[in-house]
Amino acid sequence: MTTTTQNAVKKLTHFIGGEMTPGKSERFGDVYSPSTGEVIALCPLASTEEVNEAVEVAHAAFEKWKRISLGKRVEVLHRFRALLVEETNRLAEMIGLESGKTVADAKGEIVRGIESVDLAINAPHLLKGEYSVNVGGDINSFSIKQPLGVVAAISPFNFPVMVPLAMTSMAVAVGNAVILKPSEKVPNSALYISELWKKAGLPDGVWTVINGDKEAVDTILKNPKIHAISFVGSTPIAEYVYSEGTKNNKRVAAFGGGKNHMIIMPDADLDQAVTAFLGAAYGSASQRCMAISAAMPVGEKTAEAFVAKLKARVAQLKVGAYTDESADFGAVITQQSKDSVLKYINESIEEGAVLTVDGRNPEVNAPEKGFYLGATLLDHVTPDMKIYRDEVFGPARIVVRVSTLDEAINLINSHEFGNGVTIYTESGPAARKFTQEIEVGMVGVNVPIPIPVGYHNFGGLKRSKFGEAHMFGPDTARFFTKSKTVSERWPEAKEDSKTEFAFPSSNQ
Ligand code: NAD
């Protein structure tokens, strides 16, 4: 919802040229606290003109930042990392307030975000080029990696700190100027990160936060001084950003939604599988791109035993305010999101799914207006149902029963999404077949959520990712740099110059 009215709620700013800068467009988006359902701030929605002005400021800062030595740049990152650690409690509180996730969960995402700063601190190692001596005619050949210029990151609501850090830390370290356009639903933590960058000594203009909606994104997509875009969000917008951005000659990595399965083989340790499913499926109110959506027990006996154990545990899960230390997860992000999840549940019941645990009207010790949904489990879901085909971003999880591992693999491979998947089994051959044949980017074996650590590449397949680049991991250094190959010759004495018309070869 967007409002243009003046009221007592705090108006947030952008962060441009090292300063908190008020918006000029007079358009604002309401920022809610999902735990109370109240508007806690107004997020400025930048106009095309404001975005383009910010790009000019960033471009000027880039011209200086790219000349700063790698060692000096890394010093800034070291200080930034230390500040993130020092400010973890404050950041976690901010994340909880505006996203609804519990403080414990918020702290977990900060730790994972810091992993990507750790990797960026290693940028000097990742920027080393190749060098060959005397490739022919006393010529030495080497490759160098240089920053691109101004680059942009457009982030989603569900990880207000981890995803922006994963998208941008390496971009800064390798010498770019970065423009972050955070989700307008969670702008506070991005602004706070800006303060930390400034305190760490990052020169003004190298880091910009532009708050906004479609107008800001469309301007980023068109501005010729922006050379690369890293996007994380839902699949339709990821596809749009990828196609428009590449049409305008930009490098784009666009990460979209997921529908992540957990296969439970007949030989799996069921208690371990149930425990893993609970956290991976319902943590963060299931609002993670890597959340497990569907349990896929293999064989009727496995399904009966797994569901019997699972339903008792799901029924005990507790939803609550982000400050409630006894809550397993918090509210969903908006009322609209809550309504959408309820619609999926109700339609699937009409289509024949069996409502095994009903979380539609949870008991919550929190303000009534909060966007709360309890843990819901639907059994006997079939692949033709909408609740199976779509990404459902809320705590309604499903059981899809299959007869064989081949059937499970075929179903998962024919699904639109390919972000994460996992198998629970005691069988090496089954696990090997699964990891070889599955068409999914991040694969687990007896691991609940197979999110790679910061120094490995992150990214899905199929319509979970558009473009070849990855997030986290060493691939980010490649994505945010251009490479050149230099052939260099310094002859000792002047030679008789003779023009060669034959194609140059190394046989000289
Ligand atoms: P979203 O697509 O609604 O928004 C993401 C960003 O796009 C925001 O900054 C938003 O302002 C912008 N945006 C929204 N609509 C737009 C439009 N019409 N034109 C241009 N820009 C637009 O996503 P969300 O609801 O904030 O986040 C949840 C989604 O993100 C889920 O689908 C989740 O799976 C996905 N996600 C994916 C990953 C991953 O790594 N693959 C990680 C986190 C979240």
Side-chain angles (χ1 to χ4, degrees):
M1 202 177 105
T2 302
T3 176
T4 52
T5 56
Q6 304 273 328
N7 57 28
V9 179
K10 185 181 172 198
K11 279 183 182 165
L12 303 175
T13 62
H14 308 292
F15 185 82
I16 302 171
E19 302 296 333
M20 293 295 172
T21 310
K24 292 193 273 192
S25 72
E26 284 305 315
R27 287 198 309 126
F28 292 90
D30 292 337
V31 181
Y32 286 88
S33 169
S35 302
T36 61
E38 279 165 2
V39 175
I40 51 165
L42 296 177
C43 175
L45 304 175
S47 64
T48 293
E49 194 192 354
E50 286 174 288
V51 177
N52 287 337
E53 280 171 16
V55 174
E56 290 304 320
V57 174
H59 182 71
F62 163 69
E63 290 297 333
K64 294 187 190 144
W65 181 238
K66 71 176 180 188
R67 291 188 171 82
I68 306 271
S69 74
L70 260 174
K72 288 274 173 218
R73 279 193 232 141
V74 165
E75 267 178 30
V76 175
L77 274 115
H78 272 290
R79 289 195 291 268
F80 179 58
R81 186 198 192 280
L83 288 166
L84 287 169
V85 173
E86 259 171 49
E87 296 296 316
T88 292
N89 287 345
R90 178 134 184 224
L91 267 174
E93 162 70 26
M94 238 173 237
I95 295 172
L97 178 68
E98 64 185 1
S99 78
K101 69 172 69 170
T102 63
V103 169
D105 193 19
K107 285 185 180 166
E109 85 155 86
I110 296 167
V111 171
R112 294 306 298 263
I114 290 172
E115 275 180 17
S116 49
V117 183
D118 288 337
L119 184 77
I121 285 172
N122 285 298
H125 176 63
L126 296 166
L127 289 180
K128 282 188 296 196
E130 293 149 338
Y131 200 104
S132 302
V133 176
N134 194 12
V135 293
D138 279 338
I139 292 172
N140 294 346
S141 207
F142 60 95
S143 61
I144 54 174
K145 296 193 183 85
Q146 294 183 309
L148 299 175
V150 181
V151 300
I154 301 163
S155 58
F157 80 81
N158 65 329
F159 287 105
V161 168
M162 181 187 80
V163 166
L165 289 181
M167 297 166 104
T168 60
S169 305
M170 185 63 79
V172 172
V174 299
N176 297 289
V178 172
I179 297 202
L180 171 66
K181 205 299 285 168
S183 164
E184 62 275 40
K185 295 179 184 125
V186 293
N188 278 292
S189 30
L191 289 170
Y192 194 59
I193 288 175
S194 310
E195 284 182 28
L196 302 187
W197 272 123
K198 183 155 176 129
K199 253 194 214 166
L202 190 70
D204 292 348
V206 176
W207 172 267
T208 300
V209 170
I210 267 290
N211 281 306
D213 56 2
K214 183 170 168 52
E215 183 170 342
V217 172
D218 285 343
T219 310
I220 287 170
L221 288 169
K222 286 193 192 110
N223 188 303
K225 283 197 176 140
I226 294 179
H227 296 284
I229 300 175
S230 179
F231 173 90
V232 179
S234 58
T235 284
I237 312 297
E239 186 169 30
Y240 169 74
V241 167
Y242 183 76
S243 68
E244 290 302 307
T246 49
K247 228 185 269 170
N248 291 331
N249 246 337
K250 298 179 197 311
R251 235 176 238 194
V252 183
F255 302 85
K259 189 83 183 177
N260 310 308
H261 298 71
M262 177 192 276
I263 300 180
I264 301 106
M265 293 296 286
D267 60 6
D269 176 330
L270 285 190
D271 291 315
Q272 201 186 69
V274 165
T275 301
F277 184 86
L278 288 171
Y282 294 101
S284 261
S286 313
Q287 297 172 118
R288 292 178 182 146
C289 66
M290 288 289 280
I292 298 292
S293 293
M296 222 168 221
V298 174
E300 270 308 297
K301 235 171 102 185
T302 317
E304 288 301 321
F306 177 74
V307 173
K309 281 177 185 278
L310 182 63
K311 71 178 180 194
R313 303 270 304 272
V314 173
Q316 287 165 5
L317 293 179
K318 193 177 159 203
V319 56
Y322 76 96
T323 45
D324 180 350
E325 286 179 11
S326 67
D328 296 299
F329 57 86
V332 295
I333 189 73
T334 56
Q335 181 63 42
Q336 198 186 17
S337 183
K338 176 175 170 175
D339 294 343
S340 149
V341 177
L342 286 171
K343 191 160 176 257
Y344 276 109
I345 297 172
N346 294 335
E347 281 178 4
S348 73
I349 297 168
E350 279 165 27
E351 288 174 298
V354 176
L355 182 64
T356 306
V357 181
D358 185 357
R360 289 175 293 180
N361 296 298
E363 270 181 33
V364 192
N365 185 15
E368 232 175 72
K369 272 170 45 200
F371 312 132
Y372 293 102
L373 274 173
T376 294
L377 185 68
L378 293 138
D379 193 4
H380 296 282
V381 168
T382 51
D384 53 317
M385 293 181 190
K386 217 165 149 33
I387 199 166
Y388 177 70
R389 293 200 313 270
D390 294 353
E391 179 184 45
V392 177
F393 230 49
R397 308 286 86 175
I398 59 178
V399 180
V400 180
R401 298 174 175 223
V402 292
S403 306
T404 61
L405 176 58
D406 279 319
E407 187 186 347
I409 291 174
N410 287 339
L411 268 178
I412 295 168
N413 286 353
S414 54
H415 203 285
E416 175 186 0
F417 299 112
N419 220 31
V421 71
T422 193
I423 189 170
Y424 272 72
T425 183
E426 304 268 292
S427 157
R432 184 179 151 73
K433 175 184 167 70
F434 166 76
T435 52
Q436 293 298 307
E437 294 181 12
I438 207 74
E439 283 299 315
V440 175
M442 290 169 283
V443 182
V445 175
N446 297 320
V447 169
I449 312 182
I451 301 180
V453 286
Y455 39 94
H456 279 269
N457 290 331
F458 173 107
L461 296 177
K462 295 186 280 183
R463 288 173 56 77
S464 290
K465 179 164 78 80
F466 300 86
E468 283 312 306
H470 291 88
M471 222 192 330
F472 302 102
D475 199 31
T476 47
R478 183 198 60 77
F479 181 73
F480 286 116
T481 53
K482 58 191 172 200
S483 69
K484 283 183 188 164
T485 309
V486 180
S487 301
E488 196 176 63
R489 186 182 188 204
W490 297 100
E492 277 182 22
K494 269 222 163 111
E495 300 161 354
D496 292 342
S497 58
K498 184 173 159 241
T499 305
E500 290 288 349
F501 289 95
F503 197 65
S505 78
S506 57
N507 285 343
Q508 291 164 5

